[in-house]
Amino acid sequence: MKDEKDICMFCDEEIEDGEKVECKKCKSVYHKTCFDELQHLCMKCGEDSDLNEKELKESNLNENSTSVNTNLDKNEQEHITQQNSNKIYCTKCGEVINEGQLFCGKCGTKVDGKEVNQKQENDEKINKYTKSKSKKKYIIGIISVAIIIVVAILINNSIEAEKQAEARSEYLESVKTYQAVLLIAGINLEDIADTTQKYWQENIFEHKHGSDINAAIQNAFDDKSSQISKAKEYDESIKELYTKLKDIPEGSEDLSNLLNIVTNSYNSYTDFYDLAIYPEGNYTQYSDNNNQRTNDFLDDYRELKNYIETDKEFDTLESESDTSE
């Protein structure tokens, strides 16, 4: 017949060889893991004791053996703890004493109030330990969640700052591209407008380039047909760049002054473009407008050029560009 195995006072499960721990005072038996869970506080007598050397050696040899309690979830463990905490045991033989029982049913030892009081003290200690442990887990959980949230915010802010810096760099690069195209377009428009004005004057005073003013203007456009085609291409590029530059990136609101300079240069450019590509009025009006719009365009262009040359941030862009090359 198979030998009966000891039952753990804490979890009511059988104790395998090498896992047994005894209370030094009342000899109640536990699994080592269960006794550790109770912080060496005996549920029966309330004695706070450590393992003796023999028990410690045995438990160390079997430390990696199958744990009886690993398959129990938290609710099951609490249920078992509650069941055990409601029991009273005979101080002589360890038999369970039922409520209202005056003598042990196994050995006949009289049950007195000390055992009940001791049991209540044990319950209070165990409950206090359980609540303290749960509270610690709750606090640790809150701290962990808070740390995760803070880290997530910091990462998000870092990513957002990186995106804003990248958008700012792209915006400034677009300003430089705009300035370069604007210069070429302006030189080309000046050539077209001056040629139109020259042909117009020579037709009036020297009767050249056709029978009338319209013929003279048409001859000027024919001679500058390639420049006029380029002017229209430049115009498309400038419009596209200006549309992009009108939207300052988020976090770069300090570039609003730069945008005002860009806008002024764009407005003077469009006036110059209309004059050169769509001439109208009489010769005197055209000549005066040509001089005025040329000067307006050059003034606004120079202001933009000066801003780019004196702002250190554009120098940084050039340094980064040289490094990448």
Side-chain angles (χ1 to χ4, degrees):
M1 184 175 178
K2 187 177 180 180
D3 295 336
E4 291 185 2
K5 295 185 177 180
D6 292 314
I7 303 299
C8 177
M9 183 74 68
F10 180 73
C11 66
D12 280 344
E13 296 289 335
E14 291 185 352
I15 303 175
E16 299 295 334
D17 294 339
E19 296 180 1
K20 177 180 175 181
V21 176
E22 275 189 1
C23 172
K24 291 182 178 181
K25 182 177 180 180
C26 67
K27 306 303 180 182
S28 297
V29 294
Y30 301 87
H31 290 101
K32 179 184 180 301
T33 54
C34 294
F35 201 57
D36 289 341
E37 183 73 15
L38 292 170
Q39 295 185 339
H40 301 177
L41 178 66
C42 180
M43 296 176 61
K44 179 179 176 183
C45 67
E47 179 71 10
D48 188 356
S49 58
D50 294 324
L51 301 177
N52 56 42
E53 291 185 4
K54 180 179 179 181
E55 292 163 345
L56 186 60
K57 289 180 181 179
E58 291 178 353
S59 63
N60 289 338
L61 289 173
N62 295 279
E63 194 170 288
N64 296 323
S65 64
T66 303
S67 176
V68 176
N69 209 29
T70 54
N71 294 326
L72 294 176
D73 61 20
K74 183 178 179 181
N75 290 333
E76 290 173 332
Q77 291 180 5
E78 291 178 351
H79 178 68
I80 292 172
T81 303
Q82 184 63 36
Q83 284 183 329
N84 289 329
S85 65
N86 290 330
K87 295 179 181 179
I88 300 175
Y89 300 88
C90 177
T91 56
K92 185 175 181 180
C93 68
E95 181 72 8
V96 175
I97 304 298
N98 297 321
E99 185 177 355
Q101 191 172 340
L102 299 179
F103 296 92
C104 175
K106 183 176 181 180
C107 69
T109 300
K110 184 178 180 180
V111 178
D112 56 28
K114 292 182 180 180
E115 296 170 1
V116 176
N117 293 335
Q118 184 64 57
K119 183 64 184 67
Q120 291 176 346
E121 290 177 5
N122 292 346
D123 289 347
E124 290 176 0
K125 290 180 181 180
I126 294 172
N127 290 336
K128 183 177 179 181
Y129 168 74
T130 304
K131 290 179 180 179
S132 175
K133 189 174 182 181
S134 299
K135 185 177 181 180
K136 287 180 181 178
K137 290 182 178 179
Y138 179 73
I139 294 174
I140 292 173
I142 292 177
I143 293 174
S144 299
V145 171
I147 291 173
I148 292 172
I149 292 174
V150 171
V151 171
I153 291 174
L154 292 176
I155 292 175
N156 182 68
N157 289 343
S158 177
I159 294 173
E160 187 64 27
E162 186 176 345
K163 288 181 179 179
Q164 290 182 2
E166 184 178 350
R168 185 184 181 92
S169 296
E170 290 179 358
Y171 185 87
L172 296 178
E173 287 287 358
S174 296
V175 171
K176 290 181 64 178
T177 302
Y178 168 82
Q179 182 237 344
V181 177
L182 193 66
L183 175 62
I184 298 172
I187 294 173
N188 190 55
L189 290 176
E190 186 177 21
D191 184 26
I192 296 171
D194 287 349
T195 299
T196 300
Q197 181 177 333
K198 177 184 177 184
Y199 278 37
W200 200 333
Q201 181 188 37
E202 290 176 351
N203 179 266
I204 294 173
F205 297 103
E206 301 177 25
H207 305 292
K208 293 181 178 180
H209 311 298
S211 57
D212 56 22
I213 294 173
N214 291 330
I217 293 174
Q218 185 59 51
N219 284 329
F221 272 42
D222 289 342
D223 289 345
K224 293 296 179 181
S225 59
S226 61
Q227 284 87 343
I228 292 173
S229 296
K230 288 181 180 178
K232 292 179 179 179
E233 292 177 3
Y234 295 146
D235 186 59
E236 290 298 323
S237 297
I238 290 173
K239 286 180 178 177
E240 182 178 346
L241 285 166
Y242 179 66
T243 299
K244 182 178 180 180
L245 293 175
K246 285 193 296 184
D247 295 327
I248 296 176
E250 183 179 355
S252 297
E253 289 75 14
D254 59 303
L255 297 178
S256 58
N257 184 47
L258 173 59
L259 176 57
N260 290 334
I261 295 173
V262 170
T263 299
N264 291 338
S265 67
Y266 179 77
N267 290 335
S268 60
Y269 157 77
T270 56
D271 290 342
F272 197 14
Y273 179 87
D274 290 341
L275 173 79
I277 304 301
Y278 307 108
E280 59 183 8
N282 57 45
Y283 172 75
T284 302
Q285 291 173 333
Y286 186 85
S287 178
D288 291 342
N289 287 336
N290 186 22
N291 291 332
Q292 183 62 49
R293 295 187 184 184
T294 299
N295 291 333
D296 290 344
F297 172 78
L298 289 174
D299 288 343
D300 291 334
Y301 170 79
R302 288 179 184 130
E303 184 180 10
L304 175 62
K305 181 174 180 288
N306 182 64
Y307 185 101
I308 293 174
E309 289 178 346
T310 57
D311 191 288
K312 294 182 180 180
E313 198 166 3
F314 284 96
D315 293 337
T316 303
L317 292 177
E318 292 180 0
S319 299
E320 292 176 353
S321 177
D322 294 339
T323 303
S324 62
E325 291 176 1

